[in-house]
Amino acid sequence: MAIQYISGKEPHAREKRLIFKNIDRVGFTPSIDSFLEDGGYEQLKVALKMEKSAIINEVKASGLRGRGGAGFPTGVKWGFIPPTNTKPVYIICNADESEPGTFKDRYILHQDPHQLLEGMIIACFAVNAKLGYIYIREEFPQAAIIVEKAIAEARAKGFLGKDILGSGFDCELYVHRGAGAYICGEETGLIESLEGKRPYPRIKPPYFPAALGLYMSPTIVNNVESLCHVKHIIQMGGAEYAKLGTPNNTGTRILCVSGDVQKPGYYEVEVGKVTMGEVIDVLCGGMKPGRKLKAIIPGGSSSKVLRADEKFKLKDGREIGIMDIPMDFDTMAACGSMAGSGGVIIMDDSRSMTWVINNLNNFYAHESCGQCTPCREGSLWMKKISDRIVSGEASPDDVDSLESVANQIEGKTICAFGEACSWPTQSFIKKFRDEMKGDCKPELVGEIVSDEGKVAAAGLAA
Amino acid sequence: MALAIPAELESKIDEVITHYPVSKRSAVLPLLHLMQHQFRFISDEIVNWVAAKLSLEPIQVLEVVTFYPGFRQTAPGKYHIRVCRTLSCAMAGSYELMDSLCQAAKIDRSHVDHHHPIAVSEDGKYSIEFAECLASCGFGPVCMVEDDFFEKVEPAKAGELLARYSA
């Protein structure tokens, strides 16, 4: 029987719905009955009869790359647990979805929580984790209730708890709610948070979670979407799954498109099988009437901005324009940005780039955890300087100061937040320097325009 | 005055602590959520109570409360509103939404700053703050009223939204 979707929310013909098969599906509910009717938990039964190493090998063969942001191969990550390990192993599902521009995990948690649980229980079995947590951001209160109910249902049916389906494998999963901090999406920050502390990220090395994670035990942290893929990899087999997408960029992924297009929304596509131009013109129905594309943030707010008229030189020598970029990990990296979390933010010619970067700098200043000085101070300075530019009270020199602050954060922090907060500023200035300088007052060149600057110039301590 | 913890809440708390067999300290966030749900904000008394419950020093709880934006140390209004401030929602009009919600709820945000993000209406019925990315970027502007979530909220209809929370 063909799957029916809610009117107006039907998938586009160019989509390949694997993870989002049941999203907006008529008659499908988050209950376990709905999931079982649809063949749910069958892959768990298959997996429980497999060798643990064989499951990990299938995930490696699938080529699945993490869907949370870094794009690291999931199977390889699982393989990092030291073979000599004797400590308990934990799995944490990162459902702290908070990268601006990203909105996919919410739908899985709300509408198809058992898909996540099945994938996660298979993952637990594969790495021999008997305890796992689903770290759900505080701003998803309904999701926490739905997933807790799903866990209770799964336990009642014997898919969780002691001796799962007679396999001898025990596993418990719990929901753990965050409390509104973006940094908890960083895996070691998340682990600290789960230990009941401030989520200050840990330095790597030595604190690679696969060796020294939760409670200093081996811990695998995977994104919601990544864990859902595990179920489909078992169903299809790793090699068959790897035929989806393009080489080294396998499978499907959910693109979250927001901003100045006619039909923003979520679109699950084979990785690399659609171009940026197709995302905009085909999936999203084009730009708004009378508007032209100006810039794109392709993989969540931390990814470097792409300018509409840029040309990108690829490794094979080809030169392509922005609309020709295939939506995959490797090409996006070759274009100087990243596929990141799949959050694509489209900006048209009505947008001030100064205003955009100021909005993001306010975000990063708010979310820096404050542990490392360059990031704590730098993110705040980037906010203050761009606040000044946007309010028209800055000197053109301030744009250079802003860039210099960003340059002094990148690479000088414990976690990747340092890059996440400096890349937007660096890339916006690199690509829209004239526009940003144009928003400043030329007569202020050489003048000290801020109160802090006056204090510093007078040689007084602030 | 000693904190009065309803028996039902305390049994829920005891149950939640069992989710963390390795370290009770892990239950700090869940306990604070339960307490905030019950008492609307985290007072010093609650910090001390949670610390005692989990055999921690009060500072180990307080440092968590002061870090996470999700925990409040002052009383919000009867209905607490969060408006997404971040890029995609801002492009879709979240600042306009904030203004019209404040106008409709008679809230003055002029004293708001990083450390005091919440503004409360004079009658105490509504409070509001900006939140960072609420993860519904394709359907902005979005906001939350208590635990309810709203997408594509037209600023002009702020009054209609508040009317749903008039009790």
Side-chain angles (χ1 to χ4, degrees):
Chain A
M1 202 173 68
I3 295 172
Q4 282 201 326
Y5 290 93
I6 295 167
S7 172
K9 293 190 171 182
E10 299 90 350
H12 192 279
R14 289 295 300 276
E15 285 190 62
K16 168 78 182 172
R17 289 278 183 111
L18 198 65
I19 305 304
F20 264 27
K21 188 185 88 178
N22 298 324
I23 304 303
D24 303 322
R25 180 177 171 182
V26 173
F28 192 86
T29 73
S31 75
I32 198 165
D33 294 336
S34 224
F35 190 66
L36 290 172
E37 267 173 44
D38 200 49
Y41 289 108
E42 289 301 319
Q43 304 319 314
L44 175 63
K45 291 175 192 168
V46 172
L48 288 172
K49 295 196 176 85
M50 292 171 70
E51 291 290 329
K52 292 173 189 296
S53 58
I55 298 174
I56 297 175
N57 285 336
E58 288 299 325
V59 176
K60 281 182 182 166
S62 77
L64 176 67
R65 294 169 69 167
R67 299 296 194 248
F72 192 81
T74 305
V76 177
K77 198 179 207 180
W78 292 6
F80 282 156
I81 296 173
T84 53
N85 173 59
T86 53
K87 293 190 238 175
V89 176
Y90 305 106
I91 287 197
I92 303 170
C93 170
N94 185 344
D96 193 54
E97 175 160 77
S98 44
E99 175 76 11
T102 317
F103 50 104
K104 57 191 179 68
D105 299 340
R106 172 197 295 277
Y107 302 98
I108 298 167
L109 301 169
H110 277 220
Q111 298 186 35
D112 200 0
H114 286 284
Q115 179 184 200
L116 168 62
L117 294 187
E118 185 174 5
M120 190 166 174
I121 300 165
I122 294 170
C124 285
F125 178 70
V127 302
N128 202 26
K130 296 181 170 60
L131 182 58
Y133 294 96
I134 302 172
Y135 190 105
I136 300 181
R137 66 180 300 197
E138 183 262 344
E139 296 88 337
F140 289 177
Q142 307 297 344
I145 293 167
I146 292 165
V147 175
E148 279 185 340
K149 181 160 179 267
I151 290 173
E153 288 176 331
R155 192 178 287 128
K157 296 271 188 196
F159 301 127
L160 273 171
K162 295 266 177 223
D163 188 22
I164 296 172
L165 301 175
S167 65
F169 178 63
D170 305 338
C171 185
E172 290 292 351
L173 299 180
Y174 297 105
V175 167
H176 183 93
R177 294 182 63 204
Y182 170 75
I183 197 64
C184 293
E186 199 280 341
E187 60 181 1
T188 61
L190 187 156
I191 287 169
E192 286 284 307
S193 178
L194 189 43
E195 290 186 358
K197 305 175 204 161
R198 287 185 168 202
Y200 292 145
R202 299 173 178 171
I203 197 157
K204 303 188 247 188
Y207 298 108
F208 289 108
L212 296 169
L214 184 64
Y215 311 129
M216 289 299 140
S217 286
T219 303
I220 300 296
V221 185
N222 285 143
N223 171 262
V224 173
E225 188 188 342
S226 310
L227 285 170
C228 289
H229 279 283
V230 170
K231 164 192 157 75
H232 300 279
I233 290 166
I234 297 301
Q235 185 161 13
M236 301 169 72
E240 197 60 28
Y241 177 95
K243 290 180 187 165
L244 290 171
T246 52
N248 203 38
N249 298 267
T250 59
T252 63
R253 85 171 302 179
I254 300 148
L255 298 176
C256 315
V257 190
S258 63
D260 300 320
V261 285
Q262 304 251 19
K263 276 180 62 187
Y266 40 81
Y267 301 94
E268 183 173 2
V269 295
E270 287 188 57
V271 181
K273 288 283 179 75
V274 298
T275 62
M276 183 67 87
E278 288 170 320
V279 170
I280 295 173
D281 291 330
V282 180
L283 295 175
C284 296
M287 303 296 292
K288 289 183 177 165
R291 288 288 167 200
K292 272 174 33 195
L293 179 69
K294 183 170 182 179
I296 299 172
I297 297 173
S301 66
S302 309
S303 60
K304 290 185 177 178
V305 69
L306 306 173
R307 202 179 60 210
D309 61 355
E310 270 186 274
K311 292 284 174 233
F312 305 97
K313 191 133 186 155
L314 304 184
K315 279 195 189 118
D316 60 11
R318 276 186 305 147
E319 204 179 63
I320 60 171
I322 196 168
M323 299 297 257
D324 302 321
I325 303 173
M327 301 301 285
D328 67 31
F329 293 96
D330 293 339
T331 317
M332 205 59 86
C335 294
S337 189
M338 62 176 178
S341 60
V344 184
I345 307 175
I346 312 281
M347 290 159 280
D348 69 23
D349 55 352
S350 71
R351 302 294 174 188
S352 153
M353 294 298 108
T354 306
W355 179 85
V356 169
I357 192 60
N358 182 52
N359 183 288
L360 293 180
N361 284 346
N362 271 268
F363 172 81
Y364 290 108
H366 187 266
E367 299 301 335
S368 172
C369 81
Q371 185 179 204
C372 310
T373 311
C375 172
R376 180 185 65 238
E377 302 300 318
S379 64
L380 194 61
W381 275 109
M382 291 198 296
K383 167 193 144 48
K384 284 182 178 182
I385 297 172
S386 65
D387 277 351
R388 201 154 68 221
I389 301 174
V390 99
S391 61
E393 291 159 12
S395 150
D397 300 337
D398 278 327
V399 176
D400 303 320
S401 304
L402 178 59
E403 187 176 31
S404 132
V405 173
N407 291 342
Q408 292 174 73
I409 304 171
E410 184 191 10
K412 298 182 176 70
T413 57
I414 286 173
C415 83
F417 188 102
E419 283 73 36
C421 76
S422 49
W423 284 346
T425 285
Q426 288 172 329
S427 61
F428 271 86
I429 294 180
K430 185 175 168 202
K431 296 176 186 184
F432 298 98
R433 188 185 300 273
D434 291 347
E435 178 183 339
M436 292 178 69
K437 289 211 170 191
D439 289 334
C440 302
K441 287 184 176 161
E443 65 270 26
L444 290 177
V445 171
E447 298 286 324
I448 293 162
V449 293
S450 67
D451 290 341
E452 294 90 348
K454 283 174 199 158
V455 172
L460 304 169
Chain B
M1 202 179 76
L3 203 58
I5 309 287
E8 198 187 333
L9 175 62
E10 183 138 19
S11 71
K12 177 72 188 154
I13 284 171
D14 289 332
E15 196 271 326
V16 163
I17 293 172
T18 68
H19 297 183
Y20 306 96
V22 182
S23 166
K24 275 205 295 188
R25 186 172 179 181
S26 283
V28 170
L29 267 74
L31 260 55
L32 289 171
H33 279 306
L34 288 167
M35 296 300 262
Q36 181 163 286
H37 189 75
Q38 178 78 27
F39 298 102
R40 302 293 288 159
F41 69 101
I42 306 295
S43 64
D44 291 348
E45 262 183 322
I46 291 175
V47 168
N48 291 333
W49 190 92
V50 169
K53 186 79 186 171
L54 298 175
S55 313
L56 299 170
E57 293 300 326
I59 186 63
Q60 293 174 304
V61 179
L62 184 64
E63 67 172 4
V64 168
V65 175
T66 55
F67 183 92
Y68 293 88
F71 297 124
R72 305 181 286 256
Q73 289 182 281
T74 55
K78 183 173 178 192
Y79 300 106
H80 186 57
I81 306 165
R82 287 186 275 183
V83 179
C84 177
R85 192 209 62 83
T86 322
L87 185 57
S88 300
C89 275
M91 287 166 68
S94 62
Y95 279 81
E96 293 81 354
L97 177 62
M98 172 58 94
D99 286 347
S100 56
L101 280 167
C102 285
Q103 205 170 13
K106 298 193 174 64
I107 297 176
D108 172 16
R109 283 187 81 244
S110 58
H111 58 283
V112 158
D113 64 35
H114 181 81
H115 296 286
H116 306 89
I118 297 174
V120 188
S121 66
E122 250 176 58
D123 60 6
K125 196 155 140 189
Y126 301 106
S127 56
I128 201 160
E129 67 181 315
F130 265 133
E132 296 299 342
C133 194
L134 292 177
S136 187
C137 315
F139 312 102
V142 305
C143 70
M144 295 176 76
V145 184
E146 292 294 303
D147 284 354
D148 301 334
F149 183 69
F150 300 94
E151 296 175 329
K152 292 188 182 175
V153 189
E154 289 176 40
K157 293 188 176 163
E160 281 174 41
L161 178 65
L162 292 185
R164 300 167 68 160
Y165 300 90
S166 55

